[in-house]
Amino acid sequence: MTENLQILISGVSLGCLYALLALGFVVVSRATGVLNLTQGGFVVIGAYLTYLFSQTLGLPYFVGMGLSIIATALIAGILEALVVHRIANTNLFTPILVTFGLVILIPPIVAGFWGNEPLTSGDPWGLSVLRIGDLSVTHKDLAVVLLTAVILVLFLGFIRYSRLGLAMQATAIDPEAALAQGVSDRTVHRLAWSIAGALGAVAGTMLATAASGGVRPSLEHYALLALPVIILGGIESPLGAVVGGLVMGIVQQFAVVKVPDSFGKGFEEVVPYLVMILILLIKPEGLFGTRKVRRL
């Protein structure tokens, strides 16, 4: 029982990070109709900028993290304005291929500045552990869960009650009607990308802590592992991103411990894609997605 609870706690922490990454995919997809594969690049940029501000420049960790989030959001908005927006209306596949190209380019560029070896971000949690009876919970896992909860509350408040949030909702529901009411699609698109960049930076910073292996260019693969999450929850559903992230994180952590070694090393990284295939076969629109109606 204790072992299962221990795995569950780790799974919830990993699921929270998947939820943040998936939410970045969902925000851009709802606002622009583009599957933004650059999200993995934002994870890497955010992690290394936090390292730059906190370790290289010597700023307090949380100040460096805040600056990293802002800077990554700005970079994401600039990429949308200079690259993606110019080809967004060409056809269905060109924007996706462009974002895929960006996520391929970013890690080598980052590695050119900082190298491929893991770096220590100087996070305040380190390897500290909180013991509750027989359970051991890392301070990093607690921080991830609390930070995710705060971000989700702020995001929900922004979407529901702010003018820009309402504009994003209107664009997601009916772009033409929103445009007729004076909502700027360019503003909405750049805002969506900036939010995705900020979420990627938060996830990247938390994935680059000492307990998680440090800052490294390979962090972008976590965003690719979040793709099955949005399939599970629904590609345009914020609620689906959160629920799907938690489910996938828990399933993957149980796979790490419970799946026999005979399945091969690294099998736990295949599990999210197996779940994705299963969901596509049973409910292609995802748990919280909307079924598309086509007239024949």
Side-chain angles (χ1 to χ4, degrees):
M1 183 64 179
T2 301
E3 182 187 25
N4 288 335
L5 285 174
Q6 192 76 63
I7 298 170
L8 180 64
I9 292 170
S10 299
V12 168
S13 175
L14 178 61
C16 285
L17 294 175
Y18 282 158
L20 292 179
L21 292 171
L23 195 58
F25 281 108
V26 169
V27 167
V28 172
S29 179
R30 279 172 60 89
T32 70
V34 173
L35 180 61
N36 175 28
L37 298 178
T38 317
Q39 192 70 11
F42 300 151
V43 171
V44 176
I45 291 171
Y48 275 94
L49 287 181
T50 298
Y51 172 83
L52 171 67
F53 290 127
S54 63
Q55 295 298 100
T56 306
L57 301 182
L59 298 174
Y61 181 82
F62 289 107
V63 173
M65 183 178 178
L67 291 175
S68 171
I69 293 169
I70 294 170
T72 308
L74 290 174
I75 291 171
I78 291 170
L79 284 175
E80 195 284 331
L82 296 182
V83 181
V84 181
H85 195 80
R86 295 175 181 273
I87 46 85
N89 296 321
T90 52
N91 58 57
L92 177 62
F93 300 107
T94 300
I96 297 176
L97 292 174
V98 168
T99 62
F100 179 71
L102 289 173
V103 77
I104 293 297
L105 283 173
I106 289 172
I109 292 173
V110 168
F113 285 96
W114 283 285
N116 288 302
E117 294 299 317
L119 302 173
T120 302
S121 64
D123 61 278
W125 305 286
L127 302 176
S128 301
V129 174
L130 173 66
R131 299 196 179 277
I132 307 172
D134 294 330
L135 292 175
S136 299
V137 184
T138 66
H139 288 187
K140 175 253 180 182
D141 284 346
L142 287 174
V144 166
V145 173
L146 292 174
L147 184 60
T148 301
V150 170
I151 289 173
L152 290 177
V153 169
L154 293 175
F155 176 79
L156 183 63
F158 170 78
I159 289 295
R160 288 196 173 183
Y161 302 111
S162 72
R163 185 178 182 87
L164 285 173
L166 293 173
M168 289 182 69
Q169 287 195 72
T171 302
I173 295 170
D174 193 332
E176 293 183 358
L179 189 62
Q181 293 298 317
V183 175
S184 170
D185 61 336
R186 290 192 175 187
T187 300
V188 169
H189 291 184
R190 264 148 228 181
L191 177 62
W193 272 70
S194 296
I195 291 173
L199 292 170
V202 173
T205 298
M206 300 308 295
L207 286 166
T209 59
S212 298
V215 185
R216 54 205 186 277
S218 60
L219 287 171
E220 98 278 351
H221 87 277
Y222 282 96
L224 297 180
L225 288 174
L227 284 174
V229 172
I230 62 174
I231 299 299
L232 173 62
I235 196 168
E236 294 186 353
S237 171
L239 175 61
V242 176
V243 174
L246 292 174
V247 169
M248 203 67 78
I250 292 169
V251 169
Q252 190 172 13
Q253 285 302 100
F254 270 97
V256 171
V257 180
K258 301 294 186 180
V259 173
D261 294 338
S262 58
F263 280 74
K265 184 179 179 180
F267 178 77
E268 67 276 2
E269 294 192 1
V270 179
V271 170
Y273 297 101
L274 294 177
V275 175
M276 179 183 71
I277 293 171
L278 182 63
I279 291 297
L280 285 172
L281 291 173
I282 298 173
K283 200 171 188 293
E285 67 274 13
L287 297 177
F288 299 94
T290 303
R291 183 183 293 273
K292 302 295 183 182
V293 177
R294 298 192 324 182
R295 293 183 179 180
L296 299 178

